[in-house]
Amino acid sequence: MEHTMRNALGEAVRAAHTQIPADIRCAADYERHAIHHIEAQAWQHIQSGADQNLTLSHNRAALDALRLVPQPVADLRHAHTRIELLGQTLASPLLLAPVAYQRLAHPEGELATVRAAMALQTGMVVSTLSSFTLEEIAQAGQAAATEMGHSTPRWFQLYMQPAREHSLQLIRRAEAAGYTAIVWTVDASIKRSGFALPHGVEAANLRGMPSTQHTPPLLGPILFGTPLIQQIPTWDDLRWLRAQTQLPIIVKGILSPAQAQQAVDLGADALIVSNHGGRVLDGVVSPIEVLPAIAQAVQGQVPLLLDSGVRHGTDVVKALALGASAALIGRPQLYALATAGLVGVAHLLHLLRAELELTMAQLGCATVADITPAVLWQQR
């Protein structure tokens, strides 16, 4: 007898809609719908943060605590949201963050997401742990971009592998497939996970490569003194990366102003201020809180980007006001993908862009460059 997959509500998992449900008006609505379309354990994995979920909830609280000051009398006749980032033109300061194993949400996974991103002229960062190969995703993205008649940057997110030769293979594959930057993630090489991937979902890019996992015994080494500890990134890894590729290197997972400056000194072309969506360590500072200090530390030497908790167009504006050049959105990709596949992700991006433009209009900002700390209420 065929096993029926159940969602977290105990119901049979629903297939994705072919049209956008009429009651979806913002990103949060997709989360409300997605629970019906994702298997229960996969949903728990997607939703979970570290330990008590303090960081997960604090990311939203820190963004929500910031208040905007409207200045609605403005000349917006030539307004736009375009930005230049690392020599590339983006339609808006919004990108899709690297999100692993997207087939957990929909059979077409990253292929649907990249097609939606290209249709909406939104940059996408493809995860090392994607459930389709980076080449398959690049091919789908390029086909969509060609059909639409415009090109949008695609970046490759790199987790360093236990052997540098395998990391180098991933870099060379990304270069050959047309990715235009490497996003080196430093904050999630070691994390707890009790989630077993279901049948049919795998880290497609890592086929044939060894992985390091460790279940500590009651007696003996827990983490220190095990092979797993050797996977923690070092500054030597950044020096090595810088020597291996001419592509821009973006370091993701920086929360310390001192480490931000060190990364820049060693050749980073941009930084993503991130706590990995609250998934790695609990009790961590929110990226939006530390962003001003990091901006002060690097003094405009490189662009800063921000993720973790971004859900609204107003969040993007708040990040830009405090020193970011762009913001990335993570989990909502999966919510929209599960709910309505490609059209869901495209609609999500449209909603966020619409919110961004509405917010800029109310703040009197004709361009992204007009978004300064002056748009935030400074309580005295």
Side-chain angles (χ1 to χ4, degrees), residues 5-339:
M5 288 197 301
R6 298 285 173 179
N7 62 33
L9 302 174
E11 311 163 340
V13 172
R14 302 178 189 176
H17 296 286
T18 56
Q19 295 182 324
I20 306 299
D23 62 340
I24 292 182
R25 295 181 175 85
C26 67
D29 291 332
Y30 272 110
E31 182 174 2
R32 176 169 52 81
H33 274 266
I35 190 172
H36 297 282
H37 300 273
I38 298 177
E39 187 274 333
Q41 287 185 307
W43 178 256
Q44 183 179 12
H45 171 70
I46 291 165
Q47 294 295 84
S48 66
D51 299 334
Q52 301 174 73
N53 290 333
L54 298 176
T55 301
L56 183 66
S57 60
H58 183 61
N59 284 342
R60 274 306 322 161
L63 281 161
D64 290 338
L66 297 170
R67 299 287 184 262
L68 300 166
V69 182
Q71 300 184 56
V73 180
D75 182 355
L76 301 176
R77 286 173 293 180
H78 303 292
H80 66 83
T81 61
R82 290 187 306 277
I83 64 167
E84 294 292 323
L85 189 60
L86 301 176
Q88 303 163 37
T89 300
L90 283 79
S92 80
L94 178 71
L95 297 93
L96 293 179
V99 175
Y101 305 123
Q102 295 194 20
R103 288 194 71 188
L104 292 174
H106 190 280
E108 294 180 5
E110 294 86 357
L111 302 184
T113 301
V114 75
R115 290 175 181 129
M118 297 305 103
L120 272 291
Q121 294 183 265
T122 303
M124 178 177 175
V125 188
V126 173
S127 174
T128 289
L129 302 178
S130 57
S131 44
F132 288 91
T133 67
L134 63 92
E135 291 88 356
E136 290 171 320
I137 299 166
Q139 185 176 16
Q142 185 55 53
T146 300
E147 182 179 349
M148 296 293 169
H150 54 245
S151 180
T152 303
R154 292 181 297 279
W155 300 346
F156 178 69
Q157 178 266 337
L158 175 69
Y159 285 122
M160 291 292 288
Q161 299 304 298
R164 277 186 176 175
E165 63 184 281
H166 294 133
S167 298
L168 185 59
Q169 286 178 19
L170 291 171
I171 294 167
R172 294 290 177 258
R173 288 170 58 189
E175 291 171 335
Y179 291 87
T180 55
I182 301 295
V183 178
W184 180 47
T185 297
V186 299
D187 64 345
S189 59
I190 295 180
K191 60 181 183 291
R192 287 188 290 191
S193 177
F195 178 65
L197 291 172
H199 177 73
V201 180
E202 61 170 332
N205 293 316
L206 304 183
R207 290 173 187 148
M209 296 185 187
S211 63
T212 304
Q213 296 182 338
H214 177 63
T215 303
L218 185 60
L219 299 175
I222 298 174
L223 178 58
F224 295 160
T226 70
L228 198 60
I229 204 71
Q230 298 172 21
Q231 290 188 212
I232 290 181
T234 69
W235 293 121
D236 280 341
D237 290 324
L238 181 53
R239 294 185 185 95
W240 177 81
L241 276 172
R242 183 68 285 166
Q244 302 307 315
T245 184
Q246 297 299 309
L247 290 179
I249 294 176
I250 303 160
V251 180
K252 181 178 185 289
I254 294 290
L255 292 169
S256 156
Q259 283 210 322
Q261 184 57 62
Q262 196 162 2
V264 173
D265 291 343
L266 293 175
D269 296 289
L271 305 175
I272 299 177
V273 184
S274 168
N275 63 25
H276 218 85
R279 296 181 68 85
V280 175
L281 181 64
D282 216 8
V284 173
V285 67
S286 166
I288 199 71
E289 291 175 310
V290 76
L291 178 61
I294 290 180
Q296 179 67 26
V298 303
Q299 289 289 310
Q301 297 172 83
V302 300
L304 303 177
L305 295 82
L306 178 140
D307 77 5
S308 303
V310 176
R311 297 291 183 272
H312 307 282
T314 49
D315 297 335
V316 179
V317 169
K318 291 171 183 179
L320 269 57
L322 292 177
S325 294
L328 298 93
I329 188 161
R331 286 181 180 89
Q333 294 178 60
L334 297 182
Y335 304 150
L337 182 63
T339 301

